[in-house]
Amino acid sequence: MRCPYCNSTDSRVTDSRPDTEDAIIRRRRVCNQCGAKFTTVERVQMRDLMVRKNSGKLEPFDREKLRRSIQLACRNRDVGDEQIEKLVTSIHRRLETETADDTVSSVLVGQMVSDSLLNLDPIAFVRFVSVYRKFSRISDFKKIIAQIPEAATDDNITAPQLQKTSLF
């Protein structure tokens, strides 16, 4: 592992800790060259996924891009970073295990994010879908809001109480 401070490849692990679901291992390291301390994160990657865009272009699946789009939809909502990380991990695992091909469509990724956000936070869902589907009229918002289950619009209902619902 290369030290982020001096670029030396000589470091040692001082501590390893799995996350709560054993999906990630955080390793605390010390550089033997400069003595700097840093943390690395290991995660199992089953295969290299490619995403086929609507234009036909292929690009590598990017967890960080997925995380940023979900964070943007959840901005100023009561959704924590840990919940977003679990959502990203869940979608990534499902893509790796439920698809036979190493190429997935951006439509499938968008549907998985939409369905997950609907169950997590209906406002974040509407935000995401409005960008994903390129809403251009107020009627687009009205249509998607009308399709949200009534339980999701009740402010007293929490995300786990929502049924697994797909609007696609």
Side-chain angles (χ1 to χ4, degrees):
M1 184 54 59
R2 190 171 300 277
C3 173
Y5 302 100
C6 72
N7 276 338
S8 171
T9 56
D10 186 22
S11 67
R12 69 182 186 280
V13 175
T14 60
D15 186 34
S16 292
R17 295 179 187 211
D19 75 342
T20 56
E21 295 179 10
D22 293 330
I24 298 171
I25 296 178
R26 296 185 188 282
R27 298 196 191 279
R28 192 71 182 144
R29 296 178 176 270
V30 175
C31 177
N32 291 329
Q33 183 76 28
C34 70
K37 295 178 181 179
F38 58 99
T39 302
T40 58
V41 177
E42 275 183 40
R43 129 182 327 107
V44 173
Q45 181 175 333
M46 297 170 68
R47 55 193 168 140
D48 292 327
L49 290 174
M50 297 296 286
V51 177
R52 183 172 307 283
K53 304 300 232 170
N54 290 333
S55 67
K57 178 184 168 190
L58 280 176
E59 66 180 50
F61 177 81
D62 185 351
R63 281 180 62 94
E64 290 307 309
K65 185 175 180 181
L66 179 61
R67 181 188 339 279
R68 284 190 307 270
S69 66
I70 293 171
Q71 282 176 326
L72 189 58
C74 294
R75 199 158 121 200
N76 296 326
R77 300 294 303 155
D78 193 20
V79 178
D81 289 338
E82 190 173 300
Q83 289 172 293
I84 292 171
E85 181 58 33
K86 284 182 182 178
L87 193 109
V88 170
T89 298
S90 169
I91 291 169
H92 192 192
R93 279 188 187 162
R94 287 173 47 207
L95 288 170
E96 286 181 325
T97 59
E98 294 176 11
T99 56
D101 195 5
D102 287 345
T103 302
V104 296
S105 73
S106 60
V107 172
L108 176 61
V109 176
Q111 287 174 345
M112 287 183 167
V113 172
S114 298
D115 291 346
S116 298
L117 283 175
L118 176 61
N119 291 303
L120 180 66
D121 186 290
I123 301 298
F125 161 77
V126 171
R127 288 176 175 174
F128 178 82
V129 171
S130 70
V131 173
Y132 169 67
R133 290 194 183 173
K134 299 177 183 163
F135 285 4
S136 59
R137 296 179 312 268
I138 297 294
S139 61
D140 296 334
F141 285 93
K142 289 179 181 178
K143 285 178 193 172
I144 199 71
I145 290 170
Q147 294 177 28
I148 296 175
E150 190 62 36
T153 60
D154 185 351
D155 290 337
N156 297 325
I157 302 295
T158 60
Q161 293 171 313
L162 295 176
Q163 294 178 352
K164 297 265 183 205
T165 306
S166 176
L167 300 179
F168 297 94

